[in-house]
Structure formats: C-alpha cells, structure tokens
Amino acid sequence: MRYGTVLQDMAFADSGLERAAELRGDPAAVARLLSDPRARVLPLWRGKPLFAPDAAGLGWVEAGHRALRDAGQPPILLGISDDCPRFALDLSGWTPEGPLPEAGFLDPSEQVHPDLPEGHVFAELRARMGLLSAREAELAATARAVIGWHATHRFCAACGAASDPVQAGWQRRCPSCGVSHFPRTDPVVIMLVTRANKTLLGRSPGWPAGMYSCLAGFMEPGETLEAAVRREVREETGVAVGAVRYVASQPWPFPASLMLGCQGLAETEAITLDPVELEDALWVSRERLAAIFAGADPQIRPPRRGAIAGALLRHWLADGLG
C-alpha cells in the first residue's frame, strides 16, 4: 500500500500549506499581512476552534472583528492559503454564560460568543476533524497545537521568568536571560500489530464505551522507532514484536503529538495486560474487523473517522498492509 493512499484517510495530513516561515521574524511584514483585507483569523476557545454553521468548515473572521478584543496575546501567523493570510487567536480569556464544560475524553458541549456571527460555535476539533477539508484541517491542527503550547509554556524553563511571544507566535523569548523557546512536538508510535489473519487492539481506561484502537505510546529519549514499537507492545500486552516498518505519520494536536504509524509483526499471541495502561486488549480477525467497520459488532464500535488508527486498520482490512 502506497504511503499517499493511507494519507487520504487521515485528517491533518499535509495539504501543501505555505507557512510563510521566512516572514515570522519580520514584524512589519506580519503587520502588513494582518492588515490585508483578505486576512482571516481563526478564534479558539480553550483549544476549541470556531466552526461555521451547517458543516461549512472553520469559522474565520476578519482581523478587526470586535470579538477578538478578548484575546490576551497577539495573533499567530498560520500561513498563506489561496493568497489569503491566515492567523489564529486564543480567546480563552472570554467566559461564556452557563456552566463550563467538564474535563473528559471528548467535550461534546458547544460555546456561542455573542459577538461572533450567528450559528458559529466553538466545538471540539476531534469530533469534527473528519468534516474539514485537508487545508482547513491542517490550519486547525496547527492553530490548536501552537496555542496550546503558549498556554503551558508561559515561563522560561531556564530561569523561571515570564516569557514573551515573538516570531509571529512561533517562539517565546525570555526577557530576563535571553533564552528562546520553540513549540514542541512529542513523537508517538502507533502500531498496527498483526499475526497472520489477526490484529491486536486495545482500550485505555476512561475511553468511551466500545472504543478500541491500535496500541500507541510516547517514544523515549535515545530510542529508535522500531525499538519504541517493540517496547510499547511488550509493556502493555506482553506480546513480542519482530519486524517493524514505518507506514505514515499524522500530526495529532491533542495536545501536540506526531503519530508515527507503523506495522509490527507479532511473534507471540499470549496477552498479559498492564492494567495501568490498558483496560482490555484482544486479537481481532479480518472478518470481525469488517463487521466492526460496518457497525455490526456488539462489543467494538467503528474507528473514529480521520484518525491514523482507523486508516491503518482500513488498509490492512483491504490487504493493502498485508
């Protein structure tokens, strides 16, 4: 199976966005882009992008829109799309009416800002990622990840002083010791582990009922991709993996990971769960996986549209990752 075919089934895949990185260090150039009549800003509230009504995509607004006055930081330059400058702005300082959403795997609530266009809502990106075009998905993922990084890295890791956003939002610089800090991306291996006609699925504690997925885990310092796949599978299920090959990657802005999709060939089948990491794990045949994708399995629901796990499983089911 060709790499590009797997990418077609994933949200946040490379859409060819012109990120205009060469302009980030030129405040005058960034100001010109922001003042361009074609410039648009994507507001986010607590990591939730603004969405337009009727599944019309992201809720872009003009740079001078009055709702943006609630922002506590300058806008972040995302890039230039179809000759239109695109920015993101964090509106988490705004407090909506009514109860605030509770923390959970996926927040189903939607927030309505009184100054934003009618029908526009702040909503969970994970729930709507499959509805976005490739370009809008890349813009939304970039916006969510960079804004989330600013929210958790406001102080210098070297001396503890408050740092300032610079480089159009792509750096933070400490005014006290002069150290520059950059947005981080955490590499995560996610594995399609197969043995003959079966693949290994697991579920973490706290996941929604019926949700199973490929095993995944963060890479450790000094570790190769292949070693991380073998370690994570062994630690979580006791299954030994031999040959490992890379398949595809996916940015995953929850909060800021890069999912490194791999296929691993299992050498053993016996499962010994790590109950801290997994609530359950099981081998699933191709025939059962077909029923899962059809929504006909009583235990496991279909994979979420747009996630790399579903793409890996779908292409294995079609024998493209045999």
Side-chain angles (χ1 to χ4, degrees), residues 243-305:
V244 174
R245 68 183 179 105
Y246 169 80
V247 178
S249 64
Q250 180 184 39
W252 194 245
F254 308 104
S257 297
L258 178 64
M259 309 300 289
L260 302 170
C262 299
Q263 182 178 15
L265 301 183
E267 297 180 335
T268 62
E269 290 189 23
I271 295 174
T272 303
L273 282 182
D274 176 354
V276 175
E277 295 290 338
L278 292 180
E279 180 180 285
D280 190 22
L282 70 170
W283 290 99
V284 173
S285 68
R286 269 196 170 95
E287 293 75 17
R288 184 178 181 187
L289 188 60
I292 290 170
F293 272 101
D297 190 271
Q299 179 186 6
I300 302 175
R301 68 184 194 182
R304 187 187 314 113
R305 180 183 173 190

Side-chain angles (χ1 to χ4, degrees), residues 41-101:
V41 177
L42 177 65
L44 288 88
W45 181 80
R46 297 194 177 182
K48 293 181 175 183
L50 186 70
F51 286 89
D54 302 322
L58 297 174
W60 299 96
V61 298
E62 295 179 356
H65 197 284
R66 63 181 181 276
L68 304 183
R69 64 177 181 268
D70 292 311
Q73 298 284 347
I76 296 165
L77 174 62
L78 301 177
I80 300 173
S81 177
D82 299 324
D83 295 324
C84 299
R86 301 285 175 163
F87 292 83
L89 200 59
D90 186 13
L91 294 188
S92 297
W94 165 68
T95 303
E97 295 183 358
L100 295 176

Side-chain angles (χ1 to χ4, degrees), residues 219-237:
M219 293 187 65
E220 295 184 348
E223 191 171 43
T224 66
L225 191 69
E226 295 82 0
V229 168
R230 297 185 184 107
R231 175 185 55 78
E232 282 290 340
V233 176
R234 184 181 66 254
E235 288 178 354
E236 294 186 352
T237 66

